[in-house]
Amino acid sequence: MTFSDPSAGHYTATFPQLRDWGLIWDTYDPAVHGAHRMPHFYTVARHENWWGSAVQMDVLLVLAKKHGIPVAWITPAQTLSSLAAAGADHDDKLAVLVESEDGIQALCRLKLEECTDEWIAGEVEAGEKAMAAWSDGHREAAACLAVAGVEQMLHNLTHVSRGRGAHKRLQKAGTKKPNDYLPKHQYVLAPLRSHLIWVTRYSVSHGGDR
């Protein structure tokens, strides 16, 4: 079995082409097809960590929406493959994440190092604090720090105003259906509902008011 990049030789792309090419790109599995370089247009419609996972978009969406797993950017392709192959129970997914923790942490650190723009310096600092807590074994605290650190960015991306009920409005933003042509943006937001429900419960149980 071979893999052929349908975008090879193209220097421009239409939205329908990106949609159709993506369906073929999503079938690429290095274990089956051998090593192939990521296509030039791939990151227009997909996140780079998806390349080589061979996980279909609908499965990625379930991982993000139902299980609250951030599938964009920071979950390695091999981990995504393992998550897709694991049982449907949430504990089965968590077991994969725990097993892959070192690889996920390494990719998180790499992505933080790539964030050099001054306008997100505060978010990067918060991310570094979250990583420090995570490395020390404080997973729940790290999760809360991570969400709190990017909260303003989430409001900017979703155009959701702050104030009473903001978390519920952010949760709703995470339930939107991905765009058929450029779907990757919504996959960033898809875990929001699961994450914010958990963070709200954690905050209340620890004396918070949201």
Side-chain angles (χ1 to χ4, degrees):
M1 183 182 295
T2 60
F3 174 82
S4 179
D5 175 18
S7 68
H10 290 264
Y11 298 97
T12 60
T14 65
F15 286 136
Q17 282 178 318
L18 288 170
R19 178 195 58 200
D20 295 342
W21 293 345
L23 298 176
I24 298 175
W25 291 333
D26 294 342
T27 67
Y28 168 59
D29 183 346
V32 175
H33 305 117
H36 285 268
R37 183 175 296 181
M38 185 186 299
H40 174 72
F41 291 104
Y42 186 81
T43 55
V44 177
R46 301 289 191 268
H47 288 284
E48 61 182 332
N49 60 305
W50 298 351
W51 177 245
S53 70
V55 180
Q56 302 303 298
M57 299 290 278
D58 59 337
V59 177
L60 287 170
L61 197 59
V62 170
L63 291 173
K65 278 190 172 183
K66 181 178 179 180
H67 299 284
I69 297 172
V71 297
W73 293 313
I74 60 171
T75 305
Q78 183 55 55
T79 302
L80 291 175
S81 299
S82 298
L83 285 166
D89 190 82
H90 188 64
D91 287 342
D92 296 328
K93 307 302 185 186
L94 290 179
V96 172
L97 294 176
V98 172
E99 179 68 23
S100 307
E101 190 168 15
D102 289 345
I104 297 170
Q105 283 191 356
L107 190 52
C108 285
R109 291 191 182 94
L110 177 63
K111 291 303 173 185
L112 272 176
E113 291 172 359
E114 292 177 358
C115 297
T116 57
D117 293 322
E118 291 186 6
W119 68 277
I120 55 171
E123 284 80 0
V124 172
E125 182 179 359
E128 290 170 345
K129 291 179 180 178
M131 289 299 301
W134 187 7
S135 296
D136 288 340
H138 305 297
R139 292 173 178 156
E140 291 182 338
C144 286
L145 283 168
V147 173
V150 298
E151 188 171 14
Q152 183 57 55
M153 186 180 292
L154 290 174
H155 281 283
N156 293 342
L157 285 171
T158 58
H159 306 290
V160 169
S161 60
R162 287 183 173 274
R164 184 176 295 276
H167 274 190
K168 288 186 177 180
R169 293 193 294 274
L170 283 173
Q171 290 171 27
K172 187 176 180 180
T175 65
K176 292 181 180 179
K177 181 181 177 181
N179 180 290
D180 287 339
Y181 295 118
L182 299 176
K184 70 175 188 177
H185 174 74
Q186 188 58 30
Y187 283 75
V188 176
L189 304 177
L192 274 179
R193 184 175 183 277
S194 294
H195 270 289
L196 290 172
I197 288 174
W198 180 87
V199 169
T200 299
R201 290 173 180 169
Y202 181 86
S203 177
V204 170
S205 68
H206 287 71
D209 59 0
R210 288 195 288 181

